[in-house]
Amino acid sequence: MLESTLGQTSDVPSARMRRARHRPRPSYAAVVTAVAVVALLTRLLPLVFSGTLDGFRGYDDSVHYSAAVHLLAGDLPYRDFVFVHPPGMVLLMLPFAWLGSVTSDHTGVAAARLLFVLVGTANAAAIALLLRRFGRLPMLVGGGLYAVWSAATIAERSAMLSPVLNLLVLGSFLVLFRHREGPTPRAARGAGLLLGLALTVKLWAMIPILLVGVLIFTALRSRGTLSYIGFGLLTAGLICAPFFLASPGATLASIVRAQLERSDPITGTALDRLGFFAGSTVPLPVAVVCVAALGLAVATVFAASISWKLQGRELPPEFWWSVLAIAIVGTLLSSRAFFDHYVNFAAPAICLCAGAAAARLAGALRSRPLPLKGAVAALLAAVFIVPLAADGLTMRPGRLPGQEELTAAVASHGCVWAPFPYLSIMSDSLSRAARNDCPVPVDQSGIWMMTSAGLPVPGNASGSRAHSDRTDIANVSAADAVIIGRRHSSYGVYQDMENVLKSGFTLRQRIGIFEVWVRSPQQS
């Protein structure tokens, strides 16, 4: 009644009140800030203290950086080199590839990892914002869990695909649930734009795309759904079209067929995979309790949402979060391939459900004595949050020794070949090799995926492994220096390549587990 009276007196106060409803209250803003600070520290400090900010951080992020370095040098993914994901990540990494070309690959990679630290921080803050209608405690539970949980931090200290995917999905939820009355046509267009971008990063985006499509259809029917689909297709099409037009067959083969036809052996049982949700260092009994608590939170939110619907009310936002969590976890447990960082994709939906479940638990305990509330909170922290937080602070993998020595050993060589891009980055030779048009591999794992599925790779119409091996021999033969690890076979160096090394190169230096071979003077 008061708002109606004010609205009749002047339009200005009413507009201000409407805007104020959508701003976080100061106390809520403090919670979001606290969550963001914790998330920033849990991602940044282990990188700094372990010395891995500019060094080895695993295989995948070196592939993403390497692909951008090659694009900067004029090579197109799919047409000129193998990249088995949509091109969004390559474009995102392009500024860091440029920075590496004018400074060093160490600097370029370090800057990229700082960006992903900020992406992870934004993800935690977005979860807290989405939970603000439940109150401060659920915001702290959901956002705080994401800030410290190893399932979140494992991928957000490196240039990985899932953190960007998570940010775009959470952004679409923020747009859709901005108004309590539900999605608007404008929100549907915004969600389409964000999830269209997500599809250019990783095909896993199809899971939230389909879910959000159903959400929008239930709220806005066909008109809003068509707008959502149209904006999504337009966004994804504008980004992918240049690469598709350059090489339609290779683009489809690399992005779609390589993933659908990949023949990886099944990686671990479902129980093994569930263990990664708690963290690899958490004792099994504690891991079981943690995973059970996470599953209970999702199940509770789903059941409460269904009960709400049976009472004739609209499905709340947390229903969609629980369905997304169930869909993603089910996909991860049943997929043919699995790696530990895959759990990052499920973490936002699970944390949103954890926050919503905390709200229900807080409501049930509201009339209980304070000591009981404190005991419940302490129990949950002891058996649930603390183990997940402790594992999330562990840096794996650690810094590989010898980076400075490798860099110095090949500094005078313009064309340095290494079997994996992380070795080229560690030795600060990747951008230099790309500028000199040296054939340095971008993604050996992707090549193996393509060839094992019988798909052609760039410059290799047959797609046979033997042809690929001959190409590697030619590339090694054209190099000024080679960095390889011991044992050679563990680094993709088979007998014919080793013969080329021993006949045309001299072992110059052993640095830790690595060897530096330089072209023999008589072969120059």
Side-chain angles (χ1 to χ4, degrees), residues 490-509:
S490 300
Y491 283 77
V493 177
Y494 36 88
Q495 188 60 52
D496 289 345
M497 287 179 65
E498 188 156 3
N499 292 339
V500 170
L501 271 179
K502 291 180 178 178
S503 63
F505 293 79
T506 301
L507 177 58
R508 176 63 56 84
Q509 194 172 355

Side-chain angles (χ1 to χ4, degrees), residues 86-462:
M89 187 65 167
V90 185
L91 296 174
L92 179 62
M93 295 295 288
L94 205 54
F96 304 103
W98 172 84
L99 178 62
S101 72
V102 298
T103 55
S104 70
D105 289 318
H106 300 159
T107 301
V109 165
R113 288 172 184 161
L114 287 175
L115 171 69
F116 278 78
V117 165
L118 295 177
V119 168
T121 301
N123 287 338
I127 289 169
L129 279 171
L130 283 164
L131 290 167
R132 66 181 174 178
R133 72 188 188 91
F134 294 103
R136 291 182 292 276
L137 177 62
M139 291 172 68
L140 281 171
V141 171
L145 177 59
Y146 193 88
V148 302
W149 187 13
S150 62
T153 61
I154 192 171
E156 292 176 348
R157 300 181 183 124
S158 304
M160 306 289 274
L161 300 172
S162 55
V164 181
L165 194 58
N166 289 346
L167 182 64
L168 293 168
V169 172
L170 288 168
S172 70
F173 283 153
L174 284 171
V175 168
L176 290 168
F177 301 131
R178 183 168 181 263
H179 301 280
R180 280 188 176 272
E181 53 269 25
T184 63
R186 183 178 179 182
R189 294 191 292 271
L193 188 152
L194 290 169
L195 292 178
L197 284 175
L199 190 59
T200 70
V201 175
K202 193 172 177 68
L203 292 185
W204 280 354
M206 285 305 303
I207 300 174
I209 284 172
L210 292 173
L211 179 76
V212 170
V214 175
L215 186 164
I216 290 173
F217 181 77
T218 60
L220 302 173
R221 299 303 173 188
S222 59
R223 185 176 179 182
T225 306
L226 290 174
S227 180
Y228 163 73
I229 294 172
F231 268 74
L233 290 175
L234 178 64
T235 304
L238 286 174
I239 292 174
C240 296
F243 303 96
F244 178 79
L245 293 174
S247 185
T251 302
L252 288 176
S254 301
I255 297 175
V256 180
R257 291 184 61 192
Q259 297 292 345
L260 293 178
E261 299 179 27
R262 65 189 301 174
S263 55
D264 308 42
I266 297 295
T267 315
T269 65
L271 187 60
D272 294 329
R273 298 180 183 193
L274 280 172
F276 283 104
F277 284 82
S280 58
T281 66
V282 175
L284 181 60
V286 179
V288 170
V289 173
C290 290
V291 171
L294 294 171
L296 181 61
V298 174
T300 299
V301 170
F302 178 79
S305 301
I306 296 298
S307 174
W308 187 272
K309 180 64 176 177
L310 292 175
Q311 296 174 26
R313 304 175 183 179
E314 292 295 324
L315 286 169
E318 55 267 31
F319 168 77
W320 305 101
W321 303 338
S322 64
V323 172
L324 182 60
I326 293 167
I328 294 175
V329 172
T331 300
L332 294 181
L333 295 182
S334 60
S335 66
R336 186 162 188 84
F338 182 86
F339 297 96
D340 54 359
H341 58 84
Y342 282 12
V343 298
N344 180 245
F345 184 38
I350 292 174
C351 288
L352 286 168
C353 290
R360 294 189 63 83
L361 180 61
L365 294 175
R366 185 171 291 117
S367 60
R368 302 297 181 181
L370 185 60
L372 178 61
K373 296 178 183 177
V376 171
L379 179 64
L380 289 175
V383 301
F384 184 40
I385 296 178
V386 169
L388 300 180
D391 192 73
L393 294 174
T394 306
M395 176 56 68
R396 295 181 304 277
R399 183 177 179 86
L400 285 181
Q403 178 165 300
E404 293 76 13
E405 293 86 348
L406 282 176
T407 301
V410 299
S412 61
H413 298 282
C415 188
V416 181
W417 188 90
F420 303 122
Y422 70 81
L423 288 172
S424 298
I425 294 169
M426 282 183 63
S427 59
D428 189 28
S429 63
L430 178 59
S431 293
R432 186 166 69 248
R435 282 196 304 270
N436 293 328
D437 199 26
C438 298
V440 180
V442 174
D443 185 7
Q444 288 283 18
S445 177
I447 292 173
W448 295 335
M449 279 179 60
M450 298 282 284
T451 56
S452 63
L455 300 171
V457 299
N460 175 14
S462 70

